């Protein structure tokens, strides 16, 4: 039974019903110990039901096979493949899902690459299940608004309860090293992709939006463009070395360090107060030689609906700023 | 009543309390179905109240509209036109201040935005999937000073991802272009010199001959794309 499946949710809901029914019928016929047990089961049932549904909404925990099913009729859309990326540099080993664009299988081209970061709590399945990323990628590529591109949907943490914000946590997971060294190395080895900086970009929503902007600023030698959807200017965690106030703080970087030659796409929802404030701050500070594009969704808060609306324009924007697919020499 | 306001949270909390208290106080006098309903309703109201508080603090759904999944926004295609578009219906080359502009095959028929290959020195060049502008030798400074903006107004050009080809004699103007327009160019191919200066984010390639330089440089450019979907800024 899958942790994010309907059967388990219904089982938990049944537990709620059954324990309530048992309390309603048996309360006066049993002693204090069974009563305590009934109340306990009831509380566990309610908590489990709420937690399971929350997990389904954020796609945080779940088994891998659920997203590898073909997403479009054969030949018309891209293909999603699962691969495990063993972190030689970071020590972090995680599965990843890689979108191979239409034409990949029988073509002879090297493609540009986008790394996609999820929110916290969350997982790559947020992109694939909740945001329908494959559907949007297929559509933009088919319409010619996006060049065929390889997109890597990656984990930012080995433990769903640890929020790394894509940094190397002191004494913890080395997410930054995994995402900027191990993931690119694996993608370059296993797939027909371009290896030059001009063809590599980043995208992320929510915490992943912070990741995209932060890693773009920290590694302009590896990435040319990044898109932050409802992102933040600060990681909001303690990294362990104080860098959340300095080198892992986007506002601090933009104020105190030389700005790199990169393109940054900043999208926010008008009624998402925190992200709106941070995004406007980043847009104000990210002056030349950086190039910044802002995009506003009228309302929708900090939600999947907002990120679905933001996706196609962000993909089009990225593709126009990444080097094209080229024939393998 | 707003989704994130105190009134709804207070009301939900109060309802949970009243239902809970009522269920307990009337327990002995109630039949099983009423007890069951009281229990389930209390549990649902407690979960609902906690959800409202969390949503208020995190602002996931700041309004009922947001909760409904309605964003009130639709991306629109940013259709562009160049001032000189009409002059490429019959021919693909024409003179342009400081040099010659050549558009790729299909420029007039397809409404795509194309990257630009700026060729400094030598005869006009043609490449698939990109606009070429051939300048020089010996360009006057005014010809290069606002080149991206002027070209962008005259033709349907990509915003970024342009590339340069320069003869050894034209290396200096190429470096000037890269310095003046950071991020505009992704690659520079130099013909006829062993000198390969690394210029910030721009890849530099020393090419054996002009044809190879043009092939390499066009591979560095952005793709030719249909008008992008854009959101309001």
């Amino acid at each position: 039974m899958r942790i994010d499946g309907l059967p388990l949710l219904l089982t938990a809901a049944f537990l709620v019903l059954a324990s309530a029914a048992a309390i309603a019928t048996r309360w006066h016929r049993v002693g204090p110990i069974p009563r305590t047990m009934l109340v306990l089961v009831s509380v566990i049932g309610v908590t489990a039901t709420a937690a399971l549904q929350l997990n389904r909404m954020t796609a945080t925990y779940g088994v891998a096979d659920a997203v590898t099913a073909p997403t479009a009729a054969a030949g018309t859309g891209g293909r999603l493949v699962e691969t495990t990326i063993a972190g030689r540099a970071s020590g972090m080993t995680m599965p990843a899902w890689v979108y191979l664009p239409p034409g990949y299988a029988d073509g002879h081209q090297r493609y540009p690459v986008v790394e996609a970061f999820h929110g916290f709590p969350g997982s790559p399945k947020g992109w694939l299940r909740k945001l329908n990323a494959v559907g949007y990628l297929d559509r933009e590529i088919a319409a010619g608004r996006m060049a065929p591109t390889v997109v890597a949907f990656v984990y930012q943490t080995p433990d769903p309860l640890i929020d790394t914000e894509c940094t190397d946590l002191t004494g913890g997971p080395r997410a930054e090293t995994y995402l900027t060294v191990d993931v690119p190395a694996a993608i370059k080895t296993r797939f027909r992709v371009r290896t030059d900086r001009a063809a590599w970009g980043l995208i992320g929503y929510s915490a992943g939006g912070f990741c995209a902007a932060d890693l773009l600023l920290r590694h302009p030698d590896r990435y040319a463009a990044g898109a932050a959807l409802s992102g933040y200017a600060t990681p909001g965690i303690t990294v362990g070395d104080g860098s959340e106030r300095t080198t892992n703080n986007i506002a601090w970087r933009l104020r105190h360090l030389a700005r790199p030659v990169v393109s940054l796409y900043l999208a926010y929802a008008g009624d998402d107060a925190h992200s709106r404030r941070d995004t406007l701050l980043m847009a104000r500070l990210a002056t030349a030689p950086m190039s910044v594009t802002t995009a506003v969704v009228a309302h929708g808060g900090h939600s999947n609906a907002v990120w679905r609306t933001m996706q196609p324009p962000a993909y089009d924007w990225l593709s126009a700023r990444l080097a094209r697919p080229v024939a393998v020499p | 009543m707003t989704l994130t306001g105190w009134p709804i949270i207070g009301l939900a909390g109060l309802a949970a309390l009243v239902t809970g208290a009522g269920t307990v106080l009337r327990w002995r006098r109630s039949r099983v179905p009423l007890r069951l309903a009281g229990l389930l309703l209390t549990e649902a109201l407690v979960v609902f109240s906690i959800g409202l508080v969390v949503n208020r603090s995190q602002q996931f759904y700041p309004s009922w509209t947001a909760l409904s999944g309605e964003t009130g926004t639709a991306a629109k295609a940013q259709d562009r036109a160049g001032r000189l578009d009409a002059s490429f219906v019959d021919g693909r080359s024409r003179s342009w201040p400081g040099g010659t502009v050549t558009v790729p095959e299909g420029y007039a028929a397809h409404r795509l935005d194309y990257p630009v290959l700026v060729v400094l020195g030598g005869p006009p060049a043609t490449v698939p999937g990109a606009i070429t502008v051939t300048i020089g030798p010996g360009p006057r400074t005014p010809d290069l000073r606002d080149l991206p903006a002027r070209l962008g107004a005259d033709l349907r050009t990509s915003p970024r991802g342009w590339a340069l080809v320069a003869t050894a004699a034209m290396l200096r103007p190429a470096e000037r272009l890269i310095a003046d327009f950071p991020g505009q160019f992704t690659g520079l191919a130099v013909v006829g010199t062993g000198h390969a200066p690394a210029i910030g984010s721009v890849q530099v390639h020393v090419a054996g001959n002009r044809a190879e330089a043009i092939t390499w440089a066009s591979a560095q450019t952005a793709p030719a794309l249909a008008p992008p979907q854009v959101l309001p800024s």
Side-chain angles (χ1 to χ4, degrees), chain A residues 233-247:
Chain A
T234 60
I237 56 157
T238 306
V239 179
D241 57 1
S243 66
E244 67 274 9
R245 290 186 300 275
T246 55
T247 53

Side-chain angles (χ1 to χ4, degrees), chain A residues 1-254:
Chain A
M1 203 180 289
R2 290 190 2 221
I3 194 164
D4 51 352
L6 196 59
L8 189 60
L9 182 70
L10 292 177
T11 307
F14 176 76
L15 196 66
V16 172
L17 271 174
S19 57
I23 291 172
T25 54
R26 317 292 301 171
W27 191 257
H28 294 291
R29 303 184 200 169
V30 296
I33 293 175
R35 283 184 183 180
T36 314
M37 296 298 283
L38 280 175
V39 171
L40 216 62
V41 170
S42 181
V43 169
I44 289 170
V46 170
T47 311
T49 308
L52 286 170
Q53 178 55 21
L54 217 56
N55 179 56
R56 282 163 60 87
M57 287 168 72
T58 57
T60 301
Y61 292 88
V63 277
D65 66 309
V67 290
T68 50
T71 47
T76 62
R79 201 161 62 90
L80 202 59
V81 297
E82 190 188 348
T83 184
T84 298
I85 298 178
R88 291 192 181 179
S90 65
M92 217 173 115
T93 296
M94 298 298 293
W97 289 270
V98 181
Y99 172 85
L100 303 176
Y104 181 93
D106 39 41
H108 301 281
Q109 290 188 305
R110 290 191 175 276
Y111 296 92
V113 184
V114 171
E115 280 183 57
F117 305 135
H118 56 80
F120 181 86
S123 78
K125 293 184 290 292
W127 280 109
L128 304 169
R129 289 228 202 100
K130 300 295 163 186
L131 302 184
N132 185 26
V134 169
Y136 284 117
L137 288 167
D138 282 346
R139 198 186 76 182
E140 294 314 293
I141 291 171
R145 294 186 291 259
M146 180 185 195
T149 303
V150 168
V151 183
F153 299 93
V154 291
Y155 275 98
Q156 290 131 241
T157 176
D159 179 345
L161 294 178
I162 298 178
D163 183 6
T164 66
E165 297 286 319
C166 305
T167 64
D168 281 354
L169 292 175
T170 306
R174 300 182 64 206
E176 178 178 15
T177 305
Y178 173 75
L179 297 168
T180 59
V181 178
D182 293 330
V183 169
I187 300 292
K188 286 171 187 175
T189 314
R190 293 175 205 174
F191 301 99
R192 238 172 36 244
V193 297
R194 291 185 64 136
T195 57
D196 50 333
R197 173 232 188 230
W200 278 69
L202 304 167
I203 190 170
Y205 62 89
S206 191
F210 166 80
C211 290
D214 193 43
L215 294 183
L216 178 70
L217 291 176
R218 290 170 67 84
H219 302 282
D221 55 328
R222 297 193 182 132
Y223 306 99
L229 317 182
S230 307
Y232 303 106
T234 60
I237 56 157
T238 306
V239 179
D241 57 1
S243 66
E244 67 274 9
R245 290 186 300 275
T246 55
T247 53
N248 274 309
N249 181 310
I250 293 169
W252 187 92
R253 287 193 77 91
L254 293 173

Side-chain angles (χ1 to χ4, degrees), chain B residues 7 20 27 29 43 51 59 71 86 90 101 104 114 120-121 143 152 193:
Chain B
W27 191 262
R29 280 172 287 163
E43 288 171 350
Q59 296 284 316
T71 61
D90 295 325
V101 159
Y114 294 89
L120 298 177
D143 291 335
T193 174

Side-chain angles (χ1 to χ4, degrees), chain B residues 64-87:
Chain B
W64 292 102
T65 331
L67 187 65
S68 75
E70 179 55 55
T71 61
T73 309
K76 291 194 184 77
Q78 192 182 48
D79 214 345
R80 299 177 59 236
R83 279 197 301 237
L84 301 181
D85 279 1
S87 60

